[in-house]
Coordinates of all heavy atoms in Angstrom, one line a residue:
M167 N 0.8 -1.2 0.0 CA 0.0 0.0 0.0 C 0.9 1.3 0.0 O 0.6 2.2 -0.7 CB -0.9 0.0 1.2 CG -1.9 1.1 1.2 SD -3.1 0.9 -0.1 CE -4.2 2.2 0.3
G168 N 1.9 1.2 0.8 CA 2.8 2.4 0.8 C 3.5 2.7 -0.5 O 3.7 3.8 -0.9
E169 N 3.8 1.6 -1.2 CA 4.5 1.7 -2.5 C 3.5 2.4 -3.5 O 3.9 3.3 -4.3 CB 4.9 0.4 -3.1 CG 5.7 0.5 -4.4 CD 6.1 -0.9 -4.9 OE1 6.3 -1.8 -4.0 OE2 6.2 -1.0 -6.1
F170 N 2.2 2.0 -3.4 CA 1.2 2.6 -4.3 C 1.1 4.1 -4.0 O 1.0 4.9 -5.0 CB -0.1 1.9 -4.1 CG -1.3 2.5 -4.8 CD1 -1.4 2.4 -6.2 CD2 -2.2 3.3 -4.1 CE1 -2.4 3.1 -6.8 CE2 -3.2 3.9 -4.7 CZ -3.4 3.8 -6.1
L171 N 1.0 4.4 -2.8 CA 0.9 5.9 -2.4 C 2.1 6.7 -2.9 O 1.9 7.8 -3.4 CB 0.7 6.0 -0.9 CG -0.7 5.5 -0.4 CD1 -0.7 5.6 1.1 CD2 -1.8 6.2 -1.1
M172 N 3.3 6.1 -2.7 CA 4.5 6.8 -3.2 C 4.5 7.0 -4.7 O 4.8 8.0 -5.2 CB 5.7 6.1 -2.7 CG 6.0 6.2 -1.3 SD 7.4 5.2 -0.7 CE 8.7 5.8 -1.7
E173 N 4.0 5.9 -5.4 CA 4.0 6.0 -6.9 C 2.9 7.0 -7.3 O 3.1 7.8 -8.3 CB 3.6 4.6 -7.4 CG 4.0 4.4 -8.9 CD 3.9 3.0 -9.3 OE1 4.3 2.1 -8.5 OE2 3.4 2.8 -10.4
L174 N 1.8 7.0 -6.6 CA 0.7 8.0 -7.0 C 1.2 9.4 -6.7 O 1.0 10.3 -7.6 CB -0.5 7.7 -6.1 CG -1.7 8.6 -6.3 CD1 -2.3 8.4 -7.8 CD2 -2.8 8.3 -5.3
W175 N 1.9 9.6 -5.6 CA 2.4 11.0 -5.3 C 3.4 11.4 -6.4 O 3.4 12.5 -6.9 CB 3.0 11.0 -4.0 CG 3.6 12.4 -3.7 CD1 4.9 12.6 -3.6 CD2 2.9 13.6 -3.4 NE1 5.1 14.0 -3.3 CE2 3.9 14.6 -3.2 CE3 1.6 13.9 -3.4 CZ2 3.6 15.9 -3.0 CZ3 1.3 15.3 -3.2 CH2 2.2 16.2 -3.0
A176 N 4.3 10.5 -6.8 CA 5.3 10.8 -7.8 C 4.6 11.1 -9.2 O 5.1 12.0 -9.9 CB 6.2 9.6 -8.0
F177 N 3.5 10.4 -9.5 CA 2.8 10.7 -10.7 C 2.2 12.1 -10.7 O 2.3 12.9 -11.6 CB 1.7 9.7 -10.9 CG 0.7 10.0 -11.9 CD1 1.0 9.9 -13.3 CD2 -0.6 10.5 -11.6 CE1 0.1 10.2 -14.3 CE2 -1.5 10.9 -12.6 CZ -1.1 10.7 -13.9
M178 N 1.5 12.4 -9.5 CA 0.9 13.7 -9.4 C 2.0 14.9 -9.4 O 1.7 15.9 -10.0 CB 0.1 13.8 -8.2 CG -1.2 13.0 -8.2 SD -2.4 13.3 -6.9 CE -1.4 12.9 -5.5
K179 N 3.1 14.6 -8.8 CA 4.1 15.6 -8.7 C 4.8 15.9 -10.1 O 5.0 17.0 -10.5 CB 5.2 15.1 -7.8 CG 6.3 16.1 -7.4 CD 7.2 15.6 -6.4 CE 8.4 16.4 -6.2 NZ 9.3 15.8 -5.3
E180 N 5.0 14.8 -10.9 CA 5.6 14.9 -12.2 C 4.7 15.5 -13.2 O 5.1 16.3 -14.0 CB 6.1 13.5 -12.6 CG 6.9 13.6 -13.9 CD 7.4 12.2 -14.3 OE1 7.8 11.4 -13.4 OE2 7.5 11.9 -15.5
R181 N 3.5 15.1 -13.2 CA 2.5 15.6 -14.2 C 1.7 16.8 -13.8 O 0.8 17.3 -14.5 CB 1.5 14.5 -14.5 CG 2.2 13.2 -14.9 CD 1.7 12.8 -16.3 NE 2.0 11.4 -16.6 CZ 3.1 11.1 -17.3 NH1 3.9 12.0 -17.8 NH2 3.3 9.8 -17.6
K182 N 2.0 17.4 -12.6 CA 1.3 18.6 -12.0 C -0.2 18.3 -11.9 O -1.0 19.2 -12.3 CB 1.6 19.8 -12.9 CG 3.1 20.0 -13.2 CD 3.8 20.6 -12.0 CE 5.2 21.1 -12.3 NZ 6.2 20.2 -11.9
K183 N -0.5 17.2 -11.4 CA -2.0 16.9 -11.3 C -2.4 16.9 -9.8 O -3.1 16.1 -9.3 CB -2.2 15.4 -11.8 CG -1.8 15.2 -13.2 CD -2.9 15.6 -14.1 CE -2.6 15.2 -15.5 NZ -3.4 15.8 -16.5
F184 N -2.0 18.0 -9.1 CA -2.3 18.1 -7.7 C -3.8 18.3 -7.4 O -4.3 18.1 -6.3 CB -1.5 19.3 -7.1 CG -0.1 19.1 -7.1 CD1 0.8 19.8 -7.9 CD2 0.5 18.1 -6.3 CE1 2.1 19.6 -7.8 CE2 1.8 17.8 -6.2 CZ 2.7 18.6 -7.0
W185 N -4.6 18.7 -8.5 CA -6.0 18.8 -8.3 C -6.7 17.4 -8.0 O -7.8 17.4 -7.6 CB -6.7 19.5 -9.5 CG -6.3 18.7 -10.8 CD1 -5.3 19.0 -11.6 CD2 -7.1 17.7 -11.4 NE1 -5.3 18.1 -12.7 CE2 -6.4 17.3 -12.6 CE3 -8.2 17.0 -11.1 CZ2 -6.9 16.3 -13.4 CZ3 -8.7 16.0 -11.9 CH2 -8.0 15.7 -13.1
L186 N -6.0 16.3 -8.3 CA -6.5 15.0 -8.0 C -6.6 14.7 -6.5 O -7.4 13.9 -6.0 CB -5.7 13.9 -8.7 CG -5.9 13.8 -10.2 CD1 -4.8 12.8 -10.7 CD2 -7.3 13.3 -10.5
L187 N -5.7 15.3 -5.7 CA -5.6 15.0 -4.3 C -6.9 15.3 -3.5 O -7.3 14.4 -2.8 CB -4.4 15.8 -3.7 CG -4.0 15.4 -2.3 CD1 -3.5 14.0 -2.3 CD2 -2.9 16.3 -1.8
P188 N -7.5 16.4 -3.7 CA -8.8 16.6 -3.0 C -9.9 15.6 -3.4 O -10.7 15.2 -2.5 CB -9.3 18.0 -3.3 CG -8.1 18.7 -3.8 CD -7.2 17.7 -4.4
I189 N -9.9 15.3 -4.6 CA -10.9 14.3 -5.1 C -10.7 12.9 -4.4 O -11.6 12.3 -3.9 CB -10.9 14.2 -6.6 CG1 -11.3 15.5 -7.3 CG2 -11.7 13.0 -7.1 CD1 -11.1 15.5 -8.8
L190 N -9.4 12.5 -4.4 CA -9.1 11.2 -3.8 C -9.3 11.2 -2.3 O -9.8 10.2 -1.7 CB -7.6 10.9 -4.0 CG -7.2 10.6 -5.5 CD1 -5.7 10.5 -5.7 CD2 -8.0 9.4 -6.0
L191 N -9.1 12.4 -1.6 CA -9.3 12.5 -0.2 C -10.8 12.4 0.1 O -11.2 11.7 1.1 CB -8.7 13.7 0.4 CG -7.2 13.8 0.5 CD1 -6.8 15.1 1.0 CD2 -6.7 12.7 1.4
V192 N -11.7 13.0 -0.7 CA -13.1 13.0 -0.5 C -13.6 11.5 -0.7 O -14.4 11.0 0.1 CB -13.8 14.0 -1.4 CG1 -15.3 13.7 -1.4 CG2 -13.5 15.4 -0.9
L193 N -13.1 10.9 -1.7 CA -13.5 9.5 -2.0 C -13.1 8.6 -0.8 O -13.8 7.7 -0.4 CB -12.9 9.0 -3.3 CG -13.5 9.5 -4.6 CD1 -12.7 9.1 -5.8 CD2 -15.0 9.1 -4.7
L194 N -11.9 8.8 -0.3 CA -11.4 8.0 0.8 C -12.3 8.3 2.1 O -12.7 7.3 2.8 CB -10.0 8.4 1.2 CG -9.3 7.7 2.3 CD1 -9.1 6.2 1.9 CD2 -8.0 8.3 2.7
V195 N -12.7 9.5 2.3 CA -13.5 9.8 3.5 C -14.9 9.1 3.3 O -15.4 8.5 4.3 CB -13.7 11.3 3.7 CG1 -14.8 11.7 4.7 CG2 -12.4 11.9 4.2
F196 N -15.5 9.3 2.2 CA -16.8 8.7 2.0 C -16.7 7.1 2.0 O -17.6 6.5 2.6 CB -17.4 9.1 0.6 CG -18.1 10.4 0.6 CD1 -17.9 11.3 -0.4 CD2 -18.9 10.8 1.7 CE1 -18.4 12.6 -0.4 CE2 -19.5 12.0 1.7 CZ -19.3 12.9 0.7
G197 N -15.7 6.6 1.5 CA -15.5 5.1 1.6 C -15.4 4.6 3.0 O -15.9 3.6 3.4
T198 N -14.6 5.4 3.8 CA -14.4 5.1 5.2 C -15.8 5.2 6.0 O -16.1 4.3 6.8 CB -13.4 6.0 5.8 OG1 -12.2 5.9 5.1 CG2 -13.1 5.6 7.3
L199 N -16.5 6.2 5.7 CA -17.8 6.4 6.3 C -18.8 5.2 6.0 O -19.5 4.7 6.9 CB -18.5 7.7 5.9 CG -18.0 8.9 6.6 CD1 -18.7 10.2 6.0 CD2 -18.3 8.9 8.1
I200 N -18.8 4.8 4.8 CA -19.6 3.7 4.4 C -19.2 2.4 5.1 O -20.1 1.7 5.6 CB -19.6 3.5 2.8 CG1 -20.3 4.7 2.2 CG2 -20.2 2.2 2.4 CD1 -20.2 4.7 0.7
V201 N -17.9 2.1 5.1 CA -17.5 0.9 5.8 C -17.8 1.0 7.3 O -18.2 0.0 7.9 CB -15.9 0.7 5.6 CG1 -15.4 -0.3 6.5 CG2 -15.7 0.4 4.1
L202 N -17.5 2.1 7.9 CA -17.7 2.2 9.4 C -19.2 2.2 9.8 O -19.5 1.8 10.9 CB -17.0 3.4 9.9 CG -15.5 3.4 9.9 CD1 -15.0 4.7 10.4 CD2 -15.0 2.2 10.7
T203 N -20.1 2.6 8.9 CA -21.5 2.7 9.3 C -22.3 1.5 8.9 O -23.5 1.4 9.2 CB -22.2 4.0 8.7 OG1 -22.0 3.9 7.3 CG2 -21.5 5.2 9.2
Q204 N -21.7 0.5 8.3 CA -22.5 -0.7 8.0 C -22.8 -1.5 9.3 O -21.9 -2.0 9.9 CB -21.6 -1.6 7.1 CG -21.4 -1.1 5.7 CD -22.7 -1.1 4.9 OE1 -23.8 -1.6 5.4 NE2 -22.7 -0.7 3.7
G205 N -24.1 -1.4 9.7 CA -24.5 -2.2 10.8 C -24.0 -1.5 12.1 O -23.9 -2.2 13.1
S206 N -23.7 -0.3 12.1 CA -23.2 0.4 13.3 C -24.2 1.2 14.0 O -25.2 1.6 13.4 CB -22.0 1.3 12.9 OG -21.6 2.0 13.9
A207 N -24.0 1.4 15.3 CA -24.9 2.3 16.1 C -24.7 3.8 15.7 O -25.5 4.6 16.1 CB -24.7 2.1 17.6
V208 N -23.6 4.0 15.0 CA -23.2 5.4 14.7 C -24.0 5.9 13.4 O -24.1 7.0 13.1 CB -21.7 5.5 14.5 CG1 -21.3 7.0 14.1 CG2 -21.0 5.0 15.7
A209 N -24.6 4.9 12.7 CA -25.2 5.2 11.4 C -26.2 6.3 11.5 O -26.2 7.2 10.6 CB -25.8 3.9 10.8
P210 N -27.2 6.3 12.4 CA -28.2 7.4 12.4 C -27.5 8.8 12.5 O -28.0 9.8 12.0 CB -29.0 7.1 13.6 CG -28.8 5.7 13.9 CD -27.4 5.3 13.5
F211 N -26.4 8.9 13.2 CA -25.8 10.2 13.4 C -25.0 10.6 12.1 O -25.0 11.8 11.8 CB -24.8 10.2 14.6 CG -25.4 9.8 15.9 CD1 -25.2 8.6 16.5 CD2 -26.3 10.7 16.5 CE1 -25.8 8.2 17.6 CE2 -26.9 10.4 17.7 CZ -26.7 9.1 18.3
I212 N -24.5 9.7 11.4 CA -23.8 10.0 10.1 C -24.9 10.4 9.1 O -24.7 11.4 8.4 CB -23.0 8.8 9.6 CG1 -22.0 8.4 10.6 CG2 -22.5 9.0 8.2 CD1 -20.9 9.4 10.8
Y213 N -26.0 9.8 9.1 CA -27.1 10.1 8.1 C -27.6 11.5 8.3 O -28.1 12.1 7.4 CB -28.2 9.1 8.1 CG -27.8 7.7 7.7 CD1 -28.1 6.6 8.4 CD2 -27.0 7.6 6.5 CE1 -27.7 5.3 8.0 CE2 -26.5 6.3 6.1 CZ -26.9 5.2 6.8 OH -26.5 4.0 6.4
T214 N -27.6 12.0 9.5 CA -28.1 13.4 9.8 C -27.2 14.4 9.2 O -27.6 15.6 9.0 CB -28.3 13.6 11.3 OG1 -27.1 13.4 11.9 CG2 -29.3 12.7 11.8
L215 N -25.9 14.1 8.9 CA -25.0 15.0 8.4 C -25.3 15.3 6.9 O -25.0 16.4 6.4 CB -23.5 14.5 8.4 CG -22.9 14.3 9.8 CD1 -21.6 13.7 9.7 CD2 -22.8 15.7 10.5
F216 N -26.0 14.4 6.2 CA -26.3 14.6 4.8 C -27.8 14.8 4.7 O -28.4 14.8 3.8 CB -25.8 13.4 4.0 CG -24.3 13.1 4.2 CD1 -23.9 12.1 5.0 CD2 -23.4 13.9 3.5 CE1 -22.5 11.9 5.1 CE2 -22.1 13.7 3.7 CZ -21.6 12.7 4.5

């Protein structure tokens, strides 16, 4: 996983694609929320945010 992140960073740095970073971070946050709220007691509180 670390190698993938280093390679991704090198790609963005070389090609000046830093605008991809916020998109990837938002996708990561949403993915984490989906995984953590599956069958969780926290789910009703997360749903009120949206």
Side-chain angles (χ1 to χ4, degrees):
M167 185 66 171
E169 183 180 334
F170 171 74
L171 292 175
M172 288 176 54
E173 199 170 318
L174 181 64
W175 177 251
F177 168 78
M178 288 191 301
K179 188 175 167 184
E180 184 175 328
R181 305 238 195 263
K182 308 286 191 257
K183 302 277 187 193
F184 293 112
W185 55 270
L186 286 172
L187 192 59
I189 295 170
L190 293 174
L191 289 176
V192 167
L193 287 174
L194 180 69
V195 167
F196 279 136
T198 304
L199 280 175
I200 289 171
V201 168
L202 291 178
T203 59
Q204 291 289 358
S206 171
V208 183
F211 301 109
I212 298 297
Y213 293 135
T214 59
L215 293 175
F216 302 104

